[in-house]
Amino acid sequence: MIRIGIDPDLTKSGVATVVNNEIVTLKSMGFSELIEFVISKSHLPCAVLLEDVDNKKPVFPKRLRQSVKGQNPLLAYVGHAPSQSGSNAKVNMSIAEDLGKVKATARLIKEVLEDKGIKVTLVKPLRGPIKKAKDSSVYFNKITGWTGRSNADTRDAALIAMFGQGE
């Protein structure tokens, strides 16, 4: 059976095709190309595994609690308080905004594929030692046997296809 792993992103999602636990392809694809690619494989026995990015938290509560004494912590976090200009709050808000875009893209991928009659299984983001292979091509190549080019998104897609369990 073919397993297609998808690590969604706004501009280019990581996509991996795995057959018999061996990576066949790793590629970054835009939304339309990804949809066409999966549809082209749907006539074959195929499992589509999409990283469930709704499990990722876009804010960082520890930093939310770090506010000026007497100041509303939410106000400080959002970056509207004068004492927060140029702080981590703006960076955190940017991260939260980007993650929101990724979540929307993931929902659209799932919706479009399911409208085409393709079952999509959501997979919780991987954790533990396997997850470190996303950021280390050397470790990724060692545990998967892959020798071609890859980036963090395509490696994550491959890990989802190889090790991801549906919910």
Side-chain angles (χ1 to χ4, degrees), residues 33-51:
E33 182 183 7
L34 183 154
I35 298 299
E36 290 174 15
F37 175 79
V38 175
I39 290 171
S40 76
K41 304 292 183 198
S42 65
H43 67 285
L44 302 167
C46 187
V48 178
L49 298 109
L50 175 67
E51 184 176 33

Side-chain angles (χ1 to χ4, degrees), residues 95-109:
I95 291 169
E97 186 177 288
D98 289 346
L99 184 56
K101 292 174 186 176
V102 170
K103 287 181 178 191
T105 302
R107 288 180 187 149
L108 288 172
I109 290 169

